Amino acid sequence: MAHDRKRFTAWLLAGLVLVTVITLYQAQRTGMGEPAAGPCPESALDCPGPGTGTSPPPTTAPSPGPSTGETASSTPAPPSATPPPGSSGPPTPAPGCSSPGACGFPDASTTGPRIELERHDTGNMSVKTDGTVIRGWDIRGSLDVYANDVTIIDSKITSTNWWGINLRPGFSGLKVLYTTITAIPGKGPDNGGVNYAVSNMGGSSIEVGWCDISVFGNALSMGQGDLHDNYVHDIVAFRNKTGEWQHTDAVISGGGNKGRLTVRHNTLLNPVRVDQGATAAVGLFADTGVVSSVVVERNWLAGGAYTLYGGGPGATGIKVTDNVFSTEYHPAAGAYGTATAWNAGGAGNVWSGNRMADGKPVPPPASP
């Protein structure tokens, strides 16, 4: 009888130890940030885990993302575009800088994917799962986004469509980070032309950062968004099917926006000739409504008819500060000058600290 009691006690103690070990193991896994939810839906390209978009980037280069329908154990969070507390952003370069990279502005060495890519011949693909993360993909095609909080990071897109990435109306939260977006000249739908590397047709801000963008005629097209640390270059001119040269801009906004457009610390180059449609490096136009609430700050700008169009009559809340206008295409930065369409009397409009690459101050243009 005593022997049976001892055996029962031993089994009870073993059971308690096992329960304790399992509890500690689960607590450790939870502390490591493992997703508590069930598996990703099959249409997701990567599992959107908790905390996406709030943590710093990983310190080591992870492996390429999974193929369509596969799941990942964790999703590295995209880096934040918000500078640390007390930071005033990138330092103003010394006068006399000869090139964007030498002066601390984005170029090919600071933009585009940071990891090895896996080829995916997607064609013109629609993304329809909220929270989708596309990472480590070399995409031969384009992305049409019908979902919220989609992130494209450390990838490359080579498009033969109108766009590289297009956010559709009614959706929000798109982030495009550390991605190369380009197209194949002569392969687009309108007589071989392609227009928008990233287009925001949604009703809220999107983020585009540390991207290498080329070829598209109106590379970054949106009324609201956070565009920072991008390198836009080698825009290619094209005629449409009726034989007309299409306008080209590194950044273009048509006005009527409800939110803020921030264009900060980018290299924005428009090398296209004026007689082939060159318009601006930054074009703020009142095509669809009054232009308001735009920040253009600490960018390297060159090319266009005028390098910057400032919104025109009625524009308000336009802040153009500490930009460098380069003469790499024209002696006056643009073929006709540095800037135009500036509403000096508009409420909240500020023109300050802008200069040529040699250090010569650039005064505000005369109001139209």
Side-chain angles (χ1 to χ4, degrees):
M1 190 71 173
H3 177 73
D4 290 339
R5 281 199 301 269
K6 288 181 180 179
R7 186 166 59 179
F8 174 76
T9 301
W11 278 106
L12 180 61
L13 289 173
L16 289 173
V17 170
L18 179 61
V19 169
T20 302
V21 170
I22 292 173
T23 302
L24 291 173
Y25 176 70
Q26 292 292 346
Q28 184 183 23
R29 283 174 61 84
T30 302
M32 290 173 65
E34 288 285 326
C40 287
E42 290 186 357
S43 54
L45 306 184
D46 198 358
C47 282
T52 298
T54 60
S55 303
T59 55
T60 57
S63 60
S67 300
T68 302
E70 296 179 354
T71 60
S73 60
S74 62
T75 299
S80 171
T82 306
S87 171
S88 59
T92 302
C97 288
S98 59
S99 67
C103 302
F105 289 92
D107 63 7
S109 69
T110 59
T111 56
R114 302 162 294 176
I115 62 176
E116 185 178 351
L117 305 183
E118 177 183 303
R119 178 161 171 168
H120 291 265
D121 293 312
T122 65
N124 303 324
M125 185 175 77
S126 294
V127 179
K128 296 185 177 180
T129 300
D130 288 353
T132 295
V133 176
I134 298 176
R135 181 173 171 276
W137 283 28
D138 181 356
I139 295 172
R140 308 305 167 93
S142 61
L143 300 177
D144 215 4
V145 179
Y146 294 86
N148 298 309
D149 303 319
V150 171
T151 297
I152 297 98
I153 184 168
D154 285 317
S155 295
K156 180 179 180 180
I157 293 173
T158 305
S159 175
T160 57
N161 199 359
W162 275 115
W163 56 80
I165 303 169
N166 183 29
L167 179 66
R168 288 290 180 171
F171 299 97
S172 62
L174 175 67
K175 293 179 182 289
V176 185
L177 309 172
Y178 290 104
T179 293
T180 294
I181 310 171
T182 191
I184 302 175
K187 298 294 185 180
D190 187 357
N191 199 32
V194 288
N195 246 8
Y196 312 111
V198 182
S199 173
N200 181 11
M201 299 175 68
S204 66
S205 182
I206 71 174
E207 180 183 359
V208 183
W210 303 283
C211 290
D212 183 322
I213 299 169
S214 61
V215 180
F216 289 93
N218 291 288
L220 296 171
S221 175
M222 61 197 69
Q224 51 197 340
D226 183 7
L227 312 178
H228 63 89
D229 301 287
N230 300 294
Y231 175 43
V232 181
H233 60 101
D234 294 309
I235 292 172
V236 175
F238 75 94
R239 297 179 188 265
N240 63 15
K241 291 180 180 178
T242 62
E244 300 168 323
W245 289 107
Q246 298 303 285
H247 293 288
T248 61
D249 305 87
V251 172
I252 184 170
S253 173
N257 54 296
K258 297 180 180 179
R260 178 181 295 276
L261 175 62
T262 300
V263 184
R264 179 177 287 122
H265 196 240
N266 303 277
T267 297
L268 303 173
L269 309 177
N270 187 348
V272 176
R273 290 167 31 189
V274 173
D275 62 355
Q276 293 183 347
T279 305
V282 176
L284 308 178
F285 305 110
D287 294 335
T288 56
V290 174
V291 180
S292 64
S293 192
V294 180
V295 173
V296 182
E297 179 183 59
R298 296 178 182 269
N299 300 284
W300 179 281
L301 308 173
Y306 286 93
T307 301
L308 183 143
Y309 285 73
T316 59
I318 314 299
K319 298 181 180 181
V320 181
T321 60
D322 300 320
N323 297 284
V324 176
F325 290 83
S326 169
T327 61
E328 55 204 279
Y329 304 123
H330 307 287
Y336 305 137
T338 54
T340 189
W342 177 249
N343 182 18
N349 290 351
V350 176
W351 183 284
S352 173
N354 302 298
R355 61 177 180 81
M356 301 299 293
D358 63 2
K360 181 180 178 182
V362 175
S367 296

